[in-house]
Amino acid sequence: MTIPENQLDIWANPGSQAKYKDAHESIRKAIAAYSWPSGKPNYEIYLQGSYKNSTTTRSNSDVDVVIQLNSTFREDLSKLSQPEKDAYNKDHSNATYLWDNFRSDIFSALNNKNGFTVNQGNKCIKVKTPYLDADVVVCMQYRLYEKYSNSVHEKYIEGMTFKSNEGWVVNYPKQHDKNGTLKSNNTNGNYYSAIRIFKNIKSKLIDNNLIGKSEAPSYFIECLLYNIPNSKFESCYGNTVYNVLSYLNQSDISNFKCQNGVTDLFGDSSDQWSTGKAQKFINSAIKFWNDWK
């Protein structure tokens, strides 16, 4: 027996958004109230993860907030010709206010807020707000340059980067959100519903000891489903789950891209998935689907 439609319908719907919004706004207010010791830098605050992408489930317990420094950025010039690199280096000088300074200031701003409990994490600052826990990613802008002649005539893909214990991490959350929204629109919203269903399936697989807690992060599951053709996402949730699992079972997933469309989903870096863990998730999901009682 497969999972009934009424159960899938429950899983397809997001949990309440109210506490996510309150936690996010409280962090914004804490940063806005901060007295910057060296003058206020150019930065922006935005959301990433399930709350931003409308893929929260009832089991979600935190909100992901990005605080991005824009007055300082890191660049990737690997796609430029040598004359373009020379022109870039002529136009740009080293910054004086660095990511480390920015992260220190953000930590102080959050730590000064009454009602917050703040701790340093590896990839983010862990904040307990009166509403929900938050993972605050402090980063700076990252630019993957595609063309450059001068600062007026330049083309780059904007990402973000921050330092962890494993080194510099690069991601493209704005591209991730843009591509996810487009795919959701092109599937009449069924893409995001499917992500919520598969995140709930993941939780059940963990509860049943079929996979480990760290083997199938929600971000990777979302990227996995991004590579599924739009036609596989139907208004009937049962058909969608069957279509997705069938497609994954018959596909070579090794060349799948992340939802940002820039980076590879699978690889050896700390911010990539292994094909072995992905295949274990797929096989376990198929078994869970077929053995539902």
Side-chain angles (χ1 to χ4, degrees):
M1 179 180 176
T2 57
I3 304 172
E5 190 73 12
N6 62 341
Q7 179 62 69
L8 296 175
D9 183 64
I10 293 171
W11 288 347
N13 289 286
S16 172
Q17 304 288 294
K19 289 185 177 180
Y20 291 94
K21 181 178 180 181
D22 291 339
H24 166 224
E25 290 300 327
S26 68
I27 289 170
R28 281 185 176 272
K29 290 177 181 177
I31 303 302
Y34 183 59
S35 298
W36 297 87
S38 302
K40 184 178 179 180
N42 178 15
Y43 69 91
E44 63 180 307
I45 302 176
Y46 57 92
L47 293 163
Q48 68 173 355
S50 56
Y51 175 50
K52 169 65 175 176
N53 299 320
S54 302
T55 55
T56 55
T57 65
R58 287 167 174 78
S59 62
N60 283 136
S61 59
D62 56 20
V63 58
D64 297 320
V65 180
V66 177
I67 307 179
Q68 178 176 305
L69 176 65
N70 288 327
S71 48
T72 301
F73 60 87
R74 295 190 77 199
E75 73 285 343
D76 182 342
L77 308 181
S78 60
K79 292 186 175 184
L80 299 185
S81 66
Q82 190 58 51
E84 288 176 308
K85 292 177 182 177
D86 292 341
Y88 175 89
N89 290 326
K90 181 180 178 180
D91 292 343
H92 293 81
S93 58
N94 292 331
T96 56
Y97 184 78
L98 306 178
W99 174 84
D100 303 82
N101 308 119
F102 186 58
R103 195 180 200 278
S104 178
D105 280 329
I106 295 299
F107 184 87
S108 296
L110 296 172
N111 203 38
N112 291 344
K113 174 70 173 177
N114 290 333
F116 281 9
T117 301
V118 183
N119 291 288
Q120 297 278 14
N122 177 21
K123 293 185 177 182
C124 63
I125 298 174
K126 302 285 187 177
V127 182
K128 290 185 178 294
T129 78
Y131 313 102
L132 284 177
D133 293 351
D135 289 341
V136 178
V137 178
V138 182
C139 63
M140 64 179 173
Q141 188 182 120
Y142 185 84
R143 297 182 179 181
L144 176 58
Y145 277 92
E146 298 179 310
K147 292 182 180 179
Y148 191 89
S149 56
N150 55 53
S151 57
V152 177
H153 299 94
E154 61 181 358
K155 182 181 178 182
Y156 59 85
I157 300 172
E158 182 185 330
M160 61 87 150
T161 186
F162 60 89
K163 194 187 301 180
S164 71
N165 293 339
E166 294 78 30
W168 285 96
V169 175
V170 176
N171 212 328
Y172 299 86
K174 293 181 180 179
Q175 295 294 324
H176 179 97
D177 178 54
K178 177 183 177 182
N179 290 343
T181 299
L182 179 61
K183 192 172 184 75
S184 180
N185 291 339
N186 289 339
T187 58
N188 296 315
N190 295 319
Y191 172 56
Y192 281 158
S193 296
I195 291 172
R196 289 190 287 267
I197 289 171
F198 274 88
K199 286 168 67 173
N200 276 286
I201 289 175
K202 179 198 77 168
S203 296
K204 293 298 182 182
L205 296 179
I206 294 172
D207 291 344
N208 293 334
N209 296 315
L210 295 173
I211 63 171
K213 287 186 177 181
S214 62
E215 289 187 298
S218 294
Y219 172 77
F220 291 154
I221 291 174
E222 188 165 344
C223 291
L224 188 71
L225 267 63
Y226 178 73
N227 290 270
I228 307 296
N230 292 347
S231 61
K232 303 298 183 182
F233 298 94
E234 301 184 26
S235 57
C236 173
Y237 298 135
N239 288 349
T240 292
V241 174
Y242 177 83
N243 292 343
V244 168
L245 291 176
S246 296
Y247 183 86
L248 291 172
N249 192 44
Q250 299 168 15
S251 300
D252 177 7
I253 63 174
S254 60
N255 293 320
F256 279 12
K257 286 285 189 180
C258 289
Q259 186 171 295
N260 58 46
V262 180
T263 55
D264 294 329
L265 176 55
F266 299 105
D268 299 325
S269 73
S270 60
D271 53 350
Q272 290 178 301
W273 207 4
S274 75
T275 53
K277 290 180 179 179
Q279 198 61 58
K280 182 178 179 181
F281 169 74
I282 294 167
N283 294 340
S284 298
I286 291 172
K287 178 175 173 50
F288 183 74
W289 169 257
N290 289 329
D291 294 347
W292 177 269
K293 295 179 181 178

